[in-house]
Amino acid sequence: MSHVFSDETHRNLLSRIPHCTGREVADWLRTVEEGPSLFRFEEKVSWLRGEHDLAYGHAKAIVHEYDLRRAARKLL
């Protein structure tokens, strides 16, 4: 997983996603989960951008959050 943003920048981007996209972050995380089986971070970002017309920063923040939560589930 690549380092994307500082923690503060990441949180700020996530907080703006619902306003900018009209969808909650949880909806976007489900979209990534249910999307194509892409392995590389940038492939997921590119897919979100192309398929859902997201801004680059928002797509990166969503994929980064998805990867963080997925890693946390593996630790439990």
Side-chain angles (χ1 to χ4, degrees):
M1 174 172 52
S2 95
H3 179 36
V4 181
F5 307 109
S6 71
D7 289 339
E8 180 181 2
T9 301
H10 179 66
R11 285 190 306 274
N12 287 337
L13 274 168
L14 285 180
S15 71
R16 288 194 302 264
I17 285 173
H19 173 72
C20 295
T21 68
R23 291 176 60 185
E24 295 297 320
V25 172
D27 292 339
W28 286 113
L29 297 176
R30 276 192 298 279
T31 298
V32 174
E33 179 73 26
E34 296 167 356
S37 296
L38 302 170
F39 294 104
R40 293 180 51 236
F41 183 88
E42 287 298 329
E43 288 176 324
K44 293 175 192 174
V45 171
S46 293
W47 174 75
L48 277 176
R49 293 185 72 211
E51 191 71 23
H52 298 282
D53 198 31
L54 286 176
Y56 184 66
H58 291 145
K60 282 180 76 169
I62 290 166
V63 173
H64 183 60
E65 184 67 17
Y66 174 81
D67 287 346
L68 288 173
R69 291 185 186 195
R70 185 173 170 195
R73 283 193 307 246
K74 287 184 178 180
L75 293 175
L76 300 176

